[in-house]
């Protein structure tokens, strides 16, 4: 659900780049300012992003895209925003302003292409926020409104390169999601069939030719290779690119270190881990403690030190979307250490706890294989 809603959210964002008769969408200079704003936001350069955003707002006062960019700043600046009630309220307010701007500009329930595009943007953001807050019925309702238009995007891949991302995500997730969640299989009968191999190729194309979707395409294809395909060495290619493009983004740094560690590139991971350890806020401490445990266990072959780090990681709060898997990895590490010490009973207990958290196929396979 987390993957699907986040995907829908970013899918709706790219609609702002579709060719259409609407004024801003045909204004290359303003679209470039929108794109520059996004690049600055991804790189945590929020003041610099505001310069480009102000240029858009000056030329197009109270345009829906301005409110969308405002909400995007809040999303990244206060990641995870769901943990900040005041900013969550402000975030929803920005989305409401976007919907109000659409109604004032085009009229309620307008079928004007730009009105539909920005309505989907706002609805997609709202779906993700409701999901974060555990309001699943509201999330499903908003997500469905965004999804209805998404299906049309499958027909537009040859008209706009941004659709490589959305089409690839659809082709991959429509097949993998029911594999992971058997309860939804009956519902998937109503969906167009996908193709995982084709989906991966399309997302890879988006990393090369996408503009608005470039960063998300790199992030998602690395996530797929880590979580579902169990090919961390392929994930490294994309996470390396992300930190080259956005060196100040700690989330991308975190995922790069994870990819490096799981692919056995310990020397490079160790260098980057030093930078991540300077990030002591939010959900990052649980990440770097788990990573240090993996370094100590796998690279330094120091089980005592690794055990200390894993136990500290488990005492450190995680975020269900971004760092839940690191608790699973810590439990798996403790299980391996216990097994090497000859305590199979304790190892089984740790693997059982691991399975209560794990979502990565490789981690689940390891836990289930222990006898």
């Amino acid at each position: 659900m987390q993957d699907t809603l986040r995907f829908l959210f970013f899918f709706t964002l790219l609609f702002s780049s579709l060719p259409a008769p609407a004024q801003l969408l045909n204004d290359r200079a303003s679209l470039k300012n929108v794109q520059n704003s996004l690049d600055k936001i991804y790189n945590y350069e929020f003041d610099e992003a505001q310069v480009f955003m102000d240029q858009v707002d000056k030329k197009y006062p109270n345009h829906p895209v301005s409110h969308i960019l405002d909400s995007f700043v809040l999303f990244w600046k206060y990641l995870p925003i769901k943990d900040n009630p005041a900013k969550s309220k402000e975030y929803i307010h920005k989305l409401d302003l976007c919907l109000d701007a659409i109604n004032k500009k085009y009229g309620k329930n307008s079928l004007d292409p730009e009105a539909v595009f920005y309505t989907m943007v706002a609805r997609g953001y709202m779906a993700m926020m409701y999901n974060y807050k555990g309001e699943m019925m509201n999330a499903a309702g908003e997500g469905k409104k965004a999804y209805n238009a998404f299906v049309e995007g499958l027909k537009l891949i040859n008209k706009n390169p941004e659709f490589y991302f959305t089409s690839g995500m659809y082709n991959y997730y429509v097949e993998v999601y029911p594999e992971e969640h058997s309860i939804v299989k009956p519902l998937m009968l109503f969906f167009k069939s996908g193709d995982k191999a084709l989906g991966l190729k399309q997302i890879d194309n988006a990393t090369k030719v996408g503009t608005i979707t470039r960063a998300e395409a790199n992030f998602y294809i690395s996530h797929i290779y880590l979580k579902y395909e169990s090919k961390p060495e392929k994930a490294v290619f994309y996470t390396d690119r992300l930190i080259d493009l956005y060196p100040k983004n700690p989330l991308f740094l975190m995922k790069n270190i994870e990819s490096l560690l799981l692919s056995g590139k310990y020397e490079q991971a160790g260098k980057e881990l030093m930078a991540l350890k300077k990030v002591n806020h939010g959900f990052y401490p649980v990440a770097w403690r788990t990573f240090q445990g993996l370094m100590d266990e796998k690279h330094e072959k120091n089980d005592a030190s690794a055990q200390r780090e894993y136990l500290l990681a488990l005492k450190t709060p995680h975020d269900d979307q971004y760092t839940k898997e690191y608790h699973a990895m810590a439990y798996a590490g403790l299980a391996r250490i216990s097994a090497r010490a000859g305590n199979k009973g304790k190892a089984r207990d740790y693997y059982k706890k691991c399975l209560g958290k794990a979502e990565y196929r490789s981690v689940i396979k390891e836990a289930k294989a222990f006898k």
Side-chain angles (χ1 to χ4, degrees):
M1 189 62 154
Q2 298 276 6
D3 289 347
T4 306
L5 283 174
R6 193 165 188 267
F7 156 51
L8 284 172
F9 159 62
F10 281 104
F11 156 72
T12 58
L13 182 62
L14 71 86
F15 267 92
S16 62
S17 68
L18 280 176
Q23 190 179 12
L24 187 146
L25 298 182
N26 285 328
D27 184 342
R28 290 190 176 184
S30 292
L31 280 178
K32 184 63 176 176
N33 283 330
V34 171
Q35 293 161 4
N36 287 337
S37 299
L38 290 170
D39 282 339
K40 294 299 182 182
I41 293 168
Y42 275 121
N43 203 38
Y44 277 60
E45 296 173 302
F46 302 113
D47 291 339
E48 291 86 345
Q50 192 64 52
V51 173
F52 293 108
M53 292 162 62
D54 287 344
Q55 291 180 45
V56 175
D57 193 47
K58 182 178 180 180
K59 191 167 185 180
Y60 298 94
N62 198 37
H63 193 283
V65 74
S66 294
H67 302 302
I68 290 297
L69 289 172
D70 285 343
S71 65
F72 200 52
V73 168
L74 289 168
F75 176 84
W76 279 97
K77 194 172 185 179
Y78 299 99
L79 186 78
I81 195 169
K82 71 178 190 323
D83 294 341
N84 188 320
K87 294 302 176 181
S88 293
K89 185 176 180 180
E90 184 180 352
Y91 177 80
I92 293 294
H93 177 62
K94 294 293 185 183
L95 300 178
D96 283 333
L97 288 175
C98 176
L99 293 172
D100 288 343
I102 293 167
N103 290 338
K104 289 177 181 177
K105 188 174 179 63
Y106 302 101
K108 192 172 183 180
N109 300 321
S110 172
L111 295 179
D112 180 276
E114 190 175 44
V116 174
F117 297 159
Y118 289 111
T119 298
M120 286 190 297
V121 172
R123 298 296 183 193
Y125 273 85
M126 285 183 171
M128 188 167 62
M129 175 54 78
Y130 285 133
N131 179 61
Y132 288 163
K133 294 170 67 176
E135 299 176 22
M136 303 312 296
M137 291 301 294
N138 286 332
E142 298 292 348
K144 185 177 185 300
K145 292 172 185 176
Y147 174 81
N148 289 338
F150 158 69
V151 175
E152 292 299 314
L154 293 170
K155 307 171 186 176
L156 300 172
I157 194 168
N158 293 322
K159 295 184 178 181
N160 190 300
E162 305 295 345
F163 279 97
Y164 276 111
F165 174 62
T166 59
S167 298
M169 290 290 286
Y170 181 88
N171 276 316
Y172 189 86
Y173 273 95
V174 78
E175 294 297 317
V176 78
Y177 199 75
E179 292 174 3
E180 298 292 308
H181 308 277
S182 59
I183 193 171
V184 305
K185 284 184 179 180
L187 298 175
M188 301 306 291
L189 295 173
F190 301 99
F191 286 70
K192 175 181 169 61
S193 296
D195 181 326
K196 287 195 287 186
L198 175 61
L200 286 172
K201 288 180 181 179
Q202 290 171 330
I203 301 171
D204 178 65
N205 279 340
T207 70
K208 301 169 185 174
V209 301
T211 300
I212 292 177
T213 56
R214 179 180 62 179
E216 286 303 309
N218 278 285
F219 183 85
Y220 262 97
I221 197 167
S222 66
H223 177 70
I224 286 170
Y225 278 124
L226 289 169
K227 183 174 180 178
Y228 300 111
E229 298 294 316
S230 303
K231 296 178 180 178
E233 68 283 354
K234 289 194 173 184
V236 169
F237 176 79
Y238 300 101
T239 57
D240 274 349
R241 183 183 292 169
L242 280 173
I243 62 168
D244 284 342
L245 290 168
Y246 309 111
K248 297 179 182 179
N249 188 311
L251 179 65
F252 294 160
L253 175 63
M254 181 183 83
K255 297 305 290 185
N256 189 231
I257 296 170
E258 177 191 335
S259 302
L260 291 167
L261 286 172
L262 296 183
S263 58
K265 299 180 183 295
Y266 301 118
E267 295 294 340
Q268 187 179 346
K271 293 176 183 177
E272 295 189 5
L273 184 54
M274 293 174 65
L276 188 64
K277 283 185 174 182
K278 296 177 182 178
V279 186
N280 287 309
H281 63 271
F283 49 67
Y284 296 104
V286 68
W288 53 255
R289 287 199 180 283
T290 302
F291 295 160
Q292 186 62 58
L294 285 168
M295 283 286 293
D296 290 343
E297 180 195 1
K298 300 283 189 175
H299 185 49
E300 302 296 336
K301 309 299 182 183
N302 187 332
D303 281 356
S305 180
Q307 183 180 49
R308 285 195 298 272
E309 292 297 334
Y310 288 141
L311 289 172
L312 285 170
L314 291 171
K315 292 179 181 178
T316 307
H318 68 74
D319 179 84
D320 280 348
Q321 181 183 9
Y322 295 103
T323 52
K324 179 181 178 182
E325 197 68 23
Y326 300 145
H327 271 196
M329 291 179 183
Y331 279 126
L334 290 170
R336 292 190 297 270
I337 292 170
S338 296
R340 283 194 290 271
N343 194 335
K344 288 192 173 183
K346 196 170 185 179
R348 289 192 194 94
D349 289 341
Y350 278 131
Y351 273 132
K352 184 177 180 180
K353 291 178 180 179
C354 169
L355 288 172
K357 296 280 189 181
E359 294 182 353
Y360 282 24
R361 287 179 171 179
S362 58
V363 178
I364 293 170
K365 182 179 179 181
E366 175 188 336
K368 288 185 174 179
F370 185 77
K371 303 297 184 183

